[in-house]
Amino acid sequence: QRVVLGIPQRRSMKPFSLTYVRYPEDDPLGLTMALASLAPFCMIWTTVGAFMARRELWDLLTLLGILLNEVLAQLLKRHFKEPRPATCEQVDFCDTHGMPSSHAQLAAFVATMMTLQYVRRREEFRVFCKRNKRGASGRAGHADAMTAALVVLAWPLAWIVGISRVYLGYHSVEQVVAGACVGCVFGAAYHELVCLAATKSFSRLDVNDGGLGGAVARAVIGARMRDSSLVPDPLEVERVALQVNVLDFKGKSL
């Protein structure tokens, strides 16, 4: 066994399966499918970046849901132990089980979460306006166009991810459909049972409470975490608040 820099070199190496993609050489569509197959991981890192930048509770809950979704996918693979289709030999990826497709499951989970969150924002704001007998005023009362566009595009992207797994030979159609169904069901259940409960608990945190509740509240404040999941357009609210603060600061500094 070779030793390089004092580290024994293993005789056999294996790729990291979650990001390992092979595609037909000189096939532009295959390259496109390979890139689409990596889209779920772009979703993960985008959510990580969003959480680090904005400290939103919903982003943290989404990351936790993605982790639990992957754990569920691996448990189902071990339970069903269904081999991948014969085409897996072309991509040298037959040593793991294929039912369900974890890529399709993750893409469907994220799309479901985004859709339910968008609907929740819109419905809660309508209820608020009706209860207070007033209409939505200003841009802050309407979800921004980019958010709506991302929600709409999430579903075609999820379909493309599933198609790419079949096109490249990693999964059968049945495995992809099963993964998409599991992702949708788990996403809906996670949204209703975990996310909504977490947001309610978050709103009740009080630093003046004794014991664990107060400690959690102080930790949340220290981490600058927040929950704007019910605000139709948080960016517009932040823009207006920042503009007011800047004008106030300029006025005091003159």
Side-chain angles (χ1 to χ4, degrees):
Q1 189 176 24
R2 293 179 58 197
V3 177
V4 179
L5 298 177
I7 303 176
Q9 299 298 295
R10 298 179 177 86
R11 295 180 180 178
S12 61
M13 305 289 285
K14 63 177 296 183
F16 183 61
S17 60
L18 290 178
T19 56
Y20 180 71
V21 184
R22 300 183 69 177
Y23 63 93
E25 190 175 3
D26 299 326
D27 181 4
L29 180 58
L31 175 60
T32 302
M33 292 291 102
L35 294 174
S37 187
L38 295 176
F41 305 101
C42 295
M43 299 175 185
I44 294 175
W45 289 113
T46 299
T47 307
V48 170
F51 173 72
M52 297 301 294
R54 298 175 55 78
R55 314 292 175 84
E56 282 284 352
L57 173 66
W58 202 265
D59 292 330
L60 181 61
L61 293 173
T62 300
L63 289 173
L64 176 60
I66 289 173
L67 175 61
L68 295 177
N69 181 72
E70 180 61 26
V71 170
L72 176 61
Q74 297 305 318
L75 290 175
L76 291 174
K77 286 177 184 287
R78 294 188 179 185
H79 173 73
F80 291 110
K81 297 181 180 180
E82 181 176 305
R84 295 177 183 270
T87 51
C88 68
E89 296 180 357
Q90 300 176 10
V91 291
D92 190 24
F93 202 76
C94 297
D95 57 342
T96 59
H97 302 302
M99 174 64 82
S101 166
S102 57
H103 286 70
Q105 184 173 323
L106 174 56
F109 171 82
V110 172
T112 301
M113 285 284 291
M114 291 178 64
T115 302
L116 292 177
Q117 167 60 358
Y118 180 78
V119 172
R120 174 173 175 259
R121 269 183 172 170
R122 299 299 299 158
E123 290 303 317
E124 288 289 343
F125 189 72
R126 288 195 186 97
V127 171
F128 172 80
C129 292
K130 184 177 181 180
R131 184 180 302 162
N132 292 273
K133 298 181 179 179
R134 69 181 181 86
S137 59
R139 289 177 56 191
H142 304 275
D144 64 292
M146 182 174 292
T147 298
L150 289 175
V151 172
V152 172
L153 291 175
W155 289 104
L157 180 59
W159 278 104
I160 293 173
V161 169
I163 292 172
S164 71
R165 302 305 287 175
V166 176
Y167 181 88
L168 297 174
Y170 288 92
H171 288 284
S172 65
V173 174
E174 293 78 9
Q175 292 169 353
V176 166
V177 171
C181 291
V182 173
C184 290
V185 172
F186 180 71
Y190 181 78
H191 177 271
E192 295 298 320
L193 300 178
V194 178
C195 294
L196 298 187
T199 54
K200 290 180 181 178
S201 299
F202 189 88
S203 64
R204 291 196 293 264
L205 289 177
D206 187 351
V207 294
N208 297 318
D209 288 344
L212 181 60
V216 172
R218 288 187 289 272
V220 166
I221 293 176
R224 302 295 191 271
M225 287 189 62
R226 59 184 178 177
D227 178 24
S228 62
S229 60
L230 290 182
V231 179
D233 190 352
L235 295 179
E236 177 64 13
V237 173
E238 291 176 13
R239 186 193 68 79
V240 172
L242 181 61
Q243 186 176 26
V244 171
N245 288 333
V246 168
L247 293 175
D248 183 60
F249 176 77
K250 288 182 177 179
K252 291 180 179 179
S253 63
L254 293 177

Coordinates of all heavy atoms in Angstrom, one line a residue, residues 77-107:
K77 N -34.9 3.6 0.2 CA -34.0 2.8 -0.6 C -33.6 1.5 0.0 O -33.6 0.4 -0.6 CB -32.8 3.6 -1.0 CG -33.0 4.8 -2.0 CD -31.7 5.5 -2.2 CE -31.9 6.7 -3.1 NZ -32.1 6.3 -4.6
R78 N -33.3 1.6 1.3 CA -32.8 0.4 2.0 C -34.0 -0.5 2.3 O -33.8 -1.8 2.4 CB -32.2 0.8 3.3 CG -30.9 1.6 3.2 CD -30.2 1.8 4.5 NE -28.9 2.5 4.3 CZ -28.1 2.7 5.3 NH1 -28.4 2.3 6.6 NH2 -27.0 3.3 5.1
H79 N -35.2 0.0 2.4 CA -36.4 -0.8 2.6 C -36.8 -1.6 1.3 O -37.0 -2.8 1.4 CB -37.6 0.0 3.1 CG -38.8 -0.7 3.2 ND1 -39.1 -1.6 4.2 CD2 -40.0 -0.7 2.4 CE1 -40.3 -2.1 4.0 NE2 -40.9 -1.6 2.9
F80 N -36.9 -0.9 0.2 CA -37.3 -1.5 -1.0 C -36.2 -2.3 -1.7 O -36.5 -3.3 -2.4 CB -37.9 -0.5 -2.0 CG -39.2 0.2 -1.5 CD1 -39.2 1.5 -1.1 CD2 -40.3 -0.6 -1.5 CE1 -40.4 2.1 -0.7 CE2 -41.5 0.0 -1.1 CZ -41.6 1.3 -0.7
K81 N -35.0 -1.8 -1.6 CA -33.8 -2.5 -2.2 C -34.0 -2.8 -3.7 O -33.6 -3.9 -4.1 CB -33.5 -3.8 -1.4 CG -33.1 -3.5 0.1 CD -32.8 -4.8 0.8 CE -32.4 -4.6 2.2 NZ -32.1 -5.8 3.0
E82 N -34.6 -1.9 -4.3 CA -34.9 -2.1 -5.8 C -33.7 -1.6 -6.6 O -33.2 -0.5 -6.4 CB -36.1 -1.3 -6.2 CG -36.4 -1.5 -7.7 CD -37.7 -0.8 -8.1 OE1 -38.7 -1.1 -7.5 OE2 -37.7 0.1 -9.0
P83 N -33.1 -2.5 -7.4 CA -31.9 -2.1 -8.2 C -32.2 -1.0 -9.2 O -33.4 -0.8 -9.6 CB -31.5 -3.4 -8.9 CG -32.8 -4.2 -9.0 CD -33.5 -3.9 -7.7
R84 N -31.2 -0.3 -9.6 CA -31.4 0.7 -10.7 C -31.6 0.0 -12.0 O -31.3 -1.2 -12.1 CB -30.1 1.6 -10.7 CG -29.9 2.4 -9.5 CD -28.7 3.3 -9.5 NE -28.5 4.0 -8.3 CZ -29.0 5.2 -8.1 NH1 -29.6 5.9 -9.0 NH2 -28.7 5.8 -6.9
P85 N -32.1 0.7 -13.0 CA -32.3 0.0 -14.3 C -31.0 -0.4 -15.0 O -29.9 0.0 -14.5 CB -33.0 1.2 -15.1 CG -32.5 2.4 -14.5 CD -32.5 2.1 -13.0
A86 N -31.1 -1.3 -15.9 CA -29.9 -1.8 -16.6 C -29.0 -0.7 -17.2 O -27.8 -0.9 -17.4 CB -30.3 -2.8 -17.7
T87 N -29.6 0.4 -17.5 CA -28.8 1.5 -18.1 C -27.8 2.1 -17.1 O -27.0 2.9 -17.5 CB -29.8 2.7 -18.6 OG1 -30.7 3.0 -17.5 CG2 -30.6 2.2 -19.7
C88 N -27.9 1.7 -15.9 CA -26.9 2.2 -14.9 C -25.5 1.8 -15.2 O -24.6 2.4 -14.8 CB -27.3 1.8 -13.5 SG -27.2 0.0 -13.1
E89 N -25.4 0.7 -15.9 CA -24.1 0.2 -16.3 C -23.4 1.2 -17.2 O -22.1 1.3 -17.2 CB -24.2 -1.2 -17.0 CG -24.8 -2.3 -16.1 CD -24.9 -3.6 -16.8 OE1 -24.5 -3.6 -18.0 OE2 -25.3 -4.6 -16.2
Q90 N -24.1 1.9 -18.0 CA -23.5 2.9 -18.9 C -22.9 4.1 -18.1 O -21.9 4.7 -18.6 CB -24.6 3.5 -19.9 CG -25.2 2.4 -20.7 CD -26.3 3.0 -21.6 OE1 -26.5 4.2 -21.7 NE2 -27.1 2.1 -22.3
V91 N -23.4 4.3 -16.9 CA -22.8 5.4 -16.1 C -22.0 4.9 -14.9 O -21.7 5.7 -14.1 CB -24.0 6.4 -15.7 CG1 -24.5 7.1 -16.8 CG2 -25.1 5.6 -15.0
D92 N -21.8 3.6 -14.9 CA -21.1 2.9 -13.9 C -21.6 3.3 -12.5 O -20.8 3.8 -11.6 CB -19.6 3.3 -14.0 CG -18.7 2.5 -13.1 OD1 -19.1 1.4 -12.7 OD2 -17.6 3.0 -12.7
F93 N -22.9 3.1 -12.3 CA -23.5 3.5 -11.1 C -24.6 2.5 -10.7 O -25.8 2.9 -10.5 CB -24.1 4.9 -11.2 CG -24.3 5.7 -9.9 CD1 -23.2 6.2 -9.3 CD2 -25.6 5.8 -9.4 CE1 -23.4 6.9 -8.1 CE2 -25.8 6.5 -8.2 CZ -24.7 7.0 -7.5
C94 N -24.2 1.3 -10.5 CA -25.2 0.3 -10.2 C -25.0 -0.3 -8.7 O -25.7 -1.3 -8.4 CB -25.1 -0.9 -11.2 SG -25.4 -0.4 -12.9
D95 N -24.2 0.3 -7.9 CA -23.9 -0.3 -6.6 C -24.8 0.3 -5.5 O -24.6 -0.1 -4.4 CB -22.4 0.0 -6.2 CG -22.1 1.5 -6.2 OD1 -22.8 2.3 -6.9 OD2 -21.1 1.9 -5.6
T96 N -25.8 1.1 -5.9 CA -26.7 1.6 -4.9 C -28.2 1.3 -5.4 O -28.4 1.1 -6.6 CB -26.6 3.1 -4.6 OG1 -26.8 3.8 -5.9 CG2 -25.2 3.4 -4.1
H97 N -29.1 1.4 -4.4 CA -30.5 1.1 -4.8 C -31.1 2.4 -5.4 O -30.7 3.5 -5.3 CB -31.3 0.7 -3.5 CG -30.7 -0.5 -2.8 ND1 -30.6 -1.7 -3.5 CD2 -30.3 -0.7 -1.6 CE1 -30.1 -2.6 -2.6 NE2 -29.9 -2.0 -1.5
G98 N -32.2 2.1 -6.2 CA -32.8 3.2 -7.0 C -34.2 3.7 -6.6 O -34.6 4.7 -7.2
M99 N -34.8 3.0 -5.7 CA -36.2 3.3 -5.4 C -36.3 3.9 -4.0 O -36.0 3.3 -3.0 CB -37.1 2.1 -5.5 CG -38.6 2.3 -5.0 SD -39.5 3.4 -6.1 CE -40.0 2.4 -7.4
P100 N -36.7 5.2 -3.9 CA -37.1 6.1 -4.9 C -35.9 7.0 -5.4 O -34.8 6.9 -4.8 CB -38.1 7.0 -4.2 CG -37.7 7.1 -2.8 CD -37.0 5.7 -2.5
S101 N -36.1 7.8 -6.4 CA -35.0 8.7 -6.8 C -34.9 9.9 -5.8 O -35.9 10.6 -5.6 CB -35.3 9.3 -8.2 OG -34.5 10.4 -8.5
S102 N -33.8 10.0 -5.1 CA -33.6 11.0 -4.1 C -33.6 12.4 -4.7 O -33.9 13.4 -4.1 CB -32.4 10.8 -3.3 OG -31.2 10.7 -4.1
H103 N -33.0 12.5 -6.0 CA -33.0 13.8 -6.7 C -34.4 14.3 -7.0 O -34.7 15.5 -6.7 CB -32.2 13.6 -8.0 CG -30.7 13.5 -7.8 ND1 -30.1 12.4 -7.3 CD2 -29.7 14.4 -8.1 CE1 -28.8 12.6 -7.2 NE2 -28.5 13.7 -7.7
A104 N -35.2 13.4 -7.5 CA -36.6 13.8 -7.8 C -37.3 14.1 -6.6 O -38.2 15.1 -6.5 CB -37.3 12.7 -8.6
Q105 N -37.1 13.4 -5.5 CA -37.8 13.6 -4.2 C -37.4 15.0 -3.7 O -38.2 15.7 -3.2 CB -37.4 12.5 -3.2 CG -38.1 12.6 -1.9 CD -37.9 11.4 -1.0 OE1 -37.8 10.3 -1.5 NE2 -37.8 11.6 0.3
L106 N -36.1 15.3 -3.7 CA -35.7 16.6 -3.2 C -36.2 17.8 -4.0 O -36.7 18.8 -3.4 CB -34.1 16.7 -3.2 CG -33.5 18.0 -2.8 CD1 -34.0 18.4 -1.4 CD2 -32.0 17.9 -2.8
A107 N -36.2 17.7 -5.3 CA -36.8 18.7 -6.2 C -38.2 18.9 -5.9 O -38.7 20.1 -5.8 CB -36.5 18.4 -7.6

